[in-house]
Amino acid sequence: MTQAEIIKALTEAIDHGTIKYGDRLPPTRELAEKYGTTQQTVAAALTVMAGMGLVQVQRRYGTKVIAGRRRQIKLGSYRSANRTVPTGTTAWKKDNGNGSKEGPTTVSQLVTTGEDADTGIPVGTEVVERTRTRFDGDDAPCQHKRTLVTVAAATLVPEGWTGLPPMMSPGDVIPPDGLSIAKWLGMGVVRVVYEISTAPASGAAAAALTLPEGTPSLRIVSKGLKKDDQVAYATVTTAPLRSSVSWEIRDDEVG
């Protein structure tokens, strides 16, 4: 197993309660045998996990688990008093006055796997995947965004539209002012739920952000839910831990 895979396996064991708060992990030699890798790879994985606040590596005493299962911190539910501000739209802009920009959007079709479990879209669902990378004014990659849209939602088109459905077309999808994309396309989304956590960067996200596999990163999953709580789309944003998260609730009359 790779470093990222070891981190994922141990983190999942903590989340599932297989490994509990206060437990001591087996020696690196035993873990290396268990995961079919080297002691150096295991030691590197434990160092990363220590940086994430999951374990404490103690000389002579081994590695102690210092975190329990992942718990949800609910910040609250808010409804904008200004109904012209569409719920679920992003405040991020390509150029906020500092040269920020976004790379091209790539579109593909795939079937969800266990790696997508936290999106709320059932494993084995055919979806349209839209990925793009955002850069700051210094050309440093700052966000990798991956949106999964169910085929039923991705094939929707607004009235009078010709050509490929917007969500299946490369490039920007820009709805009319005052409308979210979901509202514009009639996805039936009534609320958007955000889940924020830390997770090891891997795969395309790690490559896009030029981070080593397994580097602790910020993971934000936003899910567009319909009345029946089915997910119409989910966006997974991966960003360096140095990022900050903020919300704005508008009460003025400015859209």
Side-chain angles (χ1 to χ4, degrees):
M1 295 179 76
T2 65
Q3 176 179 310
E5 290 170 335
I6 294 171
I7 294 170
K8 183 176 184 294
L10 290 173
T11 301
E12 287 181 346
I14 293 173
D15 287 341
H16 294 157
T18 306
I19 299 176
K20 296 180 172 57
Y21 176 82
D23 284 354
R24 293 194 180 277
L25 297 181
T28 54
R29 175 179 52 79
E30 292 183 22
L31 289 175
E33 292 176 357
K34 177 179 179 179
Y35 295 126
T37 188
T38 65
Q39 293 188 52
Q40 289 80 3
T41 300
V42 171
L46 295 178
T47 298
V48 171
M49 292 182 70
M52 296 172 67
L54 295 174
V55 302
Q56 181 180 23
V57 180
Q58 302 170 310
R59 288 187 178 181
R60 298 182 182 179
Y61 296 100
T63 302
K64 180 181 179 181
V65 177
I66 59 174
R69 299 189 190 198
R70 178 181 294 172
R71 300 299 181 186
Q72 184 180 39
I73 300 174
K74 188 173 183 179
L75 301 179
S77 299
Y78 305 90
R79 175 172 294 175
S80 172
N82 176 7
R83 303 312 298 156
T84 64
V85 179
T87 303
T89 57
T90 177
W92 194 93
K93 297 179 180 178
K94 286 189 176 181
D95 189 347
N96 290 317
N98 59 5
S100 301
K101 52 188 173 293
E102 188 173 87
T105 298
T106 60
V107 181
S108 60
Q109 288 186 254
L110 51 82
V111 174
T112 55
T113 67
E115 298 292 329
D116 308 309
D118 61 350
T119 66
I121 300 176
V123 173
T125 301
E126 187 177 354
V127 296
V128 171
E129 178 191 59
R130 299 177 61 86
T131 60
R132 63 267 193 209
T133 303
R134 291 173 172 173
F135 301 84
D136 64 20
D138 297 321
D139 289 327
C142 57
Q143 293 181 34
H144 176 267
K145 300 186 77 69
R146 177 174 179 255
T147 299
L148 302 179
V149 189
T150 63
V151 170
T155 52
L156 294 171
V157 296
E159 186 176 353
W161 185 270
T162 58
L164 279 175
M167 296 305 290
M168 299 185 73
S169 305
D172 294 340
V173 177
I174 304 175
D177 289 344
L179 289 178
S180 66
I181 292 174
K183 185 74 172 178
W184 179 48
L185 297 179
M187 291 184 184
V189 171
V190 296
R191 60 193 177 99
V192 180
V193 176
Y194 290 82
E195 296 177 356
I196 304 171
S197 63
T198 56
S202 62
L209 297 173
T210 65
L211 295 174
E213 286 272 337
T215 300
S217 303
L218 193 64
R219 181 180 175 90
I220 304 173
V221 180
S222 61
K223 295 179 280 191
L225 301 176
K226 299 188 290 186
K227 285 185 178 180
D228 59 3
D229 280 341
Q230 294 296 306
V231 178
Y233 71 86
T235 297
V236 178
T237 301
T238 304
L241 280 180
R242 290 176 57 84
S243 308
S244 63
V245 180
S246 63
W247 283 265
E248 180 184 59
I249 301 175
R250 302 275 299 268
D251 281 332
D252 58 25
E253 297 300 323
V254 180

